[in-house]
Amino acid sequence: MIYLTRRERFNSAHRLFCPELTDQENYEIYGKCSNPNWHGHNYELFVTVKGEVDAKLGYAANLSSISKIIKEQVIEKVDHKNLNLEVDFLKDMVTSTENLAISIWRELEDHIKILGVDLHCVKVVETENNYVEYYG
Ligand code: NI
């Protein structure tokens, strides 16, 4: 079994908040991340797949195919977008890094399988100090 990782990047705006709470209550929970006027991040997305190395081809999966899937299923939907307002697969969710990783996993899983490998990990880096890894 071998693990293969592709990195992609995207820039997005968002706000952490629960709609049923007041701005003040949201501020107490999420701090400045609850700013009603949004804020942005330069996200990094690491997608790791696992599989066997094809003896003839020497790879587990074609990295350009993996990149194409990530771009079509995720990057084009989130890059330079407002995650709260413009992304169907995050609709009605708190746009936390945790929910982002779980939602991206769901967007990718079936498409990655078609390449003959399995999704192993979706890692979303929100800032240089914070990241989330989701293993399904
Ligand atoms: Ni944020």
Side-chain angles (χ1 to χ4, degrees), residues 14 33 39 41 43 126:
H14 80 150
C33 290
H39 66 279
H41 296 284
Y43 288 96
E126 189 189 56

Side-chain angles (χ1 to χ4, degrees), residues 8-136:
E8 301 288 346
R9 291 186 254 209
F10 60 98
N11 311 319
S12 309
H14 80 150
R15 178 195 179 197
L16 297 182
F17 74 109
C18 292
E20 60 269 32
L21 302 178
T22 65
D23 281 354
Q24 181 56 37
E25 288 167 329
N26 275 304
Y27 184 78
E28 282 159 17
I29 296 169
Y30 298 113
K32 62 186 181 180
C33 290
S34 74
N35 173 22
N37 291 317
W38 321 105
H39 66 279
H41 296 284
N42 298 318
Y43 288 96
E44 283 185 299
L45 169 62
F46 294 83
V47 175
T48 303
V49 305
K50 62 183 172 188
E52 300 300 334
V53 178
D54 183 288
K56 190 173 75 178
L57 301 176
Y59 63 49
N62 186 321
L63 270 173
S64 65
S65 301
I66 294 172
S67 173
K68 187 164 180 274
I69 289 170
I70 300 169
K71 282 183 177 138
E72 286 175 359
Q73 301 305 319
V74 179
I75 304 299
E76 285 171 13
K77 298 174 184 172
V78 297
D79 189 35
H80 289 72
K81 298 281 168 58
N82 181 311
L83 300 179
N84 295 78
L85 301 179
E86 298 180 276
V87 181
D88 284 347
F89 69 77
L90 296 170
K91 212 171 167 39
D92 302 322
M93 296 176 98
V94 176
T95 56
S96 60
T97 317
E98 290 87 335
N99 280 341
L100 206 44
I102 293 167
S103 302
I104 289 171
W105 175 287
R106 290 178 181 151
E107 292 301 300
L108 292 175
E109 189 176 20
D110 291 347
H111 296 274
I112 293 292
K113 260 199 177 73
I114 293 167
L115 301 178
V117 288
D118 289 316
L119 194 51
H120 174 68
C121 178
V122 168
K123 174 176 166 180
V124 180
V125 180
E126 189 189 56
T127 71
E128 54 187 54
N129 297 322
N130 300 332
Y131 65 86
V132 163
E133 292 168 304
Y134 182 61
Y135 293 89

